[in-house]
Amino acid sequence: MTKSYAEVPEIFPPENIGPSGQVASYLAQMAIQHGPLFRWLMRRDPNNPVELLFMVGPEANRFVLHTHREHFSHDRGWTPIVGEWMGHGLLNMDPPEWTLHRRMMNPAFTSAYLAAYLPLMHRVIEERTRDWGERGEVDLYSEAREITFDIAATALAGFKTGAEVDHLRGLFYTLIKGPNLQEESWEHFLERRVQIIAELDGMLLPLIAQRREQLRREGTTGQIRDVLGMIVEARDEQGQAFSEEQVLAHVKILLVAGHETTTTLSTWTLYLLAMHPEYRDRVMAEIDAVDGGGAEPLSFEAIRSLRVLENVVKEAGRLYSPVLSVPRGVLKDFEFAGYHVPAGVQVRLSLAACHRLPHVFRNPDVFDPERFEPPREEDKRTPYALVTFGGGPRVCIGMGFAQEEIKALVAHVLRRYRLEVVDPSEVIHSDWLVAYLPGGCRVRVIPIDSRTWQVPA
Ligand code: HEM
């Protein structure tokens, strides 16, 4: 017999669970103890406690992301989190609007486009990492943020790197990070936020107007453009273009979704390679085999062929998922795992906790990229087990873009530098929804000989 929602197990987290990097393992433990559904009363704001229904495991992933996705709203899940100021982009839209917009935007993320973005990625990576050797020590996390934002702003919106993009990154960062309540009241931040949003829109709207004007002058050229060009050019079946408000929201969401997550994952990938020299050497041997002498940046095909590196990136994403949980508002009642769940409930589908289930991934807390190699292939053995980029029709539209960017960055860095983590205990994966590294990730940078790939004696 189906049990009522009130009978869904309720969990009471210990005091010390919080920004400690242990959230995913803790939620996985809860799923082992209580099953794939449990309720959690979040008392972060004592005046406004929020009850969340956590769902964990491959079956829950398949149910929410694929088979029963029409029961769940992205809008009611994501919009309260990203904020109304962002407007509605792909991430927080529901069908039928989403279906049309996704169809119009998919072409900007096909292989032909990804190959066209690569020279720009190489240029940004080269410029931003050139002085690492002289500096001797860098914080990988803040460096990665600069690199990924430059790439997102240029490839997605057509900005030129430099002071303007640095300023734009600062505006987004302030909005996403929120106030430091020790230095500023919430009310003051809200006032400041209005000004920042106006400034942000003031930078993006002229860019959109320019593109419309360019399109009017030149017509559809069929040439590869940046993503903004594609969005401005896109037409639905009735020949209707996106409105200005819609284009603005898409650009904002792409800029945010396209850089915070990639920042985290590239930091963790470089960290893990620094901590596991045996894998770093395997990746370097693989790069050596395709790099044609080492002077030129790797081609798109060469980057795609790096399987050992690909598995390291997959393993970094499994252990340290940039998106820990995806939020959904329940639109229609459903039954799952023997329980009835009514409309109106707020769900958190915990991708990161699924990655830590021992019956899905052997020794889940251990860094072991070989788990993805045949014959183990733990990600393929269970459908919807590895969901770093989500899954089903709403799988991350930027997945190929992010993988290409991270592989290009890692290959570039490994060919020039040896990295040593200054203090691994500072490097923490934190938060509940979208991860960040509160302590950064400081590394010592030692230039290596470009021919032998060894540290000079
Ligand atoms: C390591 C990097 C990234 C990770 C881990 C990541 C993760 C995810 C996840 C888990 C989802 C599904 C969200 C849900 O189901 O609610 C998603 C969706 C999305 N991502 Fe990414 N993402 C990354 C990079 C990017 C990049 C580079 C872009 C843009 C260029 C991007 C744009 C989006 C958009 C627009 C969606 C919504 C797609 C839709 O609903 O149709 N992401 N991402």
Side-chain angles (χ1 to χ4, degrees), residues 94-101:
D94 288 326
E97 198 188 15
W98 168 82
T99 316
L100 178 69
H101 284 232

Side-chain angles (χ1 to χ4, degrees), residues 122-156:
H122 281 316
R123 182 173 58 72
V124 171
I125 291 168
E126 209 284 316
E127 279 172 17
R128 286 277 185 191
T129 57
R130 198 182 292 150
D131 66 351
W132 280 16
E134 288 151 43
R135 286 158 65 194
E137 185 181 305
V138 298
D139 172 12
L140 279 181
Y141 188 47
S142 49
E143 297 295 317
R145 173 172 294 109
E146 289 177 358
I147 292 170
T148 58
F149 193 82
D150 272 5
I151 291 177
T154 42
L156 304 178

Side-chain angles (χ1 to χ4, degrees), residues 68-379:
H68 290 69
R69 61 185 184 280
E70 74 280 4
H71 289 256
F72 301 93
S73 162
H74 280 242
D75 181 18
R76 293 193 195 174
W78 277 110
T79 307
I81 287 158
V82 294
E84 287 290 344
W85 68 271
M86 281 259 210
H88 281 80
L90 279 188
L91 185 69
N92 57 342
M93 269 180 178
D94 288 326
E97 198 188 15
W98 168 82
T99 316
L100 178 69
H101 284 232
R102 175 92 188 208
R103 201 179 312 133
M104 286 160 85
M105 283 169 68
N106 272 337
F109 294 93
T110 53
S111 290
Y113 275 83
L114 295 183
Y117 304 138
L118 186 63
L120 185 154
M121 292 182 181
H122 281 316
R123 182 173 58 72
V124 171
I125 291 168
E126 209 284 316
E127 279 172 17
R128 286 277 185 191
T129 57
R130 198 182 292 150
D131 66 351
W132 280 16
E134 288 151 43
R135 286 158 65 194
E137 185 181 305
V138 298
D139 172 12
L140 279 181
Y141 188 47
S142 49
E143 297 295 317
R145 173 172 294 109
E146 289 177 358
I147 292 170
T148 58
F149 193 82
D150 272 5
I151 291 177
T154 42
L156 304 178
F159 276 100
K160 301 258 176 301
T161 50
E164 195 186 15
V165 170
D166 288 344
H167 185 61
L168 191 68
R169 184 181 59 246
L171 297 180
F172 271 114
Y173 191 58
T174 313
L175 289 174
I176 293 164
K177 206 164 135 262
N180 177 348
L181 290 173
Q182 261 127 38
E183 289 170 10
E184 180 181 23
S185 70
W186 179 247
E187 291 70 28
H188 185 262
F189 175 73
L190 288 184
E191 277 170 33
R192 204 157 62 89
R193 196 170 77 157
V194 174
Q195 290 161 12
I196 298 174
I197 294 167
E199 193 179 346
L200 195 66
D201 291 355
M203 288 175 82
L204 295 173
L205 284 170
L207 201 72
I208 296 169
Q210 265 171 30
R211 291 314 173 81
R212 288 214 196 277
E213 175 54 25
Q214 188 186 3
L215 182 65
R216 204 185 50 75
R217 271 198 329 267
E218 298 172 8
T220 310
T221 59
Q223 278 174 359
I224 288 195
R225 299 179 188 273
D226 55 40
V227 177
L228 175 58
M230 285 283 308
I231 297 174
V232 166
E233 218 169 270
R235 295 288 178 275
D236 65 15
E237 276 128 24
Q238 283 75 45
Q240 194 67 34
F242 288 134
S243 71
E244 186 156 88
E245 193 189 339
Q246 287 170 329
V247 179
L248 186 64
H250 279 309
V251 173
K252 285 182 190 166
I253 295 256
L254 283 173
L255 284 176
V256 171
H259 96 281
E260 272 301 315
T261 46
T262 319
T263 299
T264 318
L265 189 52
S266 43
T267 305
W268 280 112
T269 305
L270 285 167
Y271 166 91
L272 288 166
L273 286 170
M275 296 295 288
H276 297 274
E278 69 288 4
Y279 268 97
R280 181 199 61 208
D281 293 347
R282 278 187 68 186
V283 172
M284 287 178 80
E286 182 185 48
I287 297 170
D288 200 16
V290 297
D291 92 333
E296 295 299 317
L298 294 184
S299 68
F300 184 63
E301 291 68 33
I303 286 189
R304 281 209 150 175
S305 72
L306 299 174
R307 295 282 165 236
V308 181
L309 177 54
E310 190 165 302
N311 287 340
V312 172
V313 178
K314 268 191 191 177
E315 184 66 339
R318 184 190 69 79
L319 278 169
Y320 303 109
S321 309
V323 182
L324 290 154
S325 301
V326 293
R328 298 284 189 270
V330 177
L331 288 174
K332 293 191 267 177
D333 294 18
F334 66 87
E335 279 176 23
F336 183 76
Y339 293 98
H340 176 89
V341 177
V345 164
Q346 271 289 326
V347 165
R348 297 290 180 265
L349 178 70
S350 183
L351 313 177
C354 173
H355 293 167
R356 299 276 183 156
L357 292 173
H359 61 277
V360 182
F361 294 104
R362 195 167 77 198
N363 294 330
D365 297 336
V366 173
F367 173 73
D368 177 12
E370 278 172 36
R371 66 174 79 248
F372 301 119
E373 289 175 15
R376 287 170 64 192
E377 297 186 305
E378 293 179 4
D379 53 330

Side-chain angles (χ1 to χ4, degrees), residues 17-28 40 324 350 353 429-432:
I17 189 97
S20 60
Q22 302 302 320
V23 176
S25 301
Y26 178 75
L27 292 174
W40 187 329
L324 290 154
S350 183
H429 198 61
S430 187
D431 216 352
W432 296 94

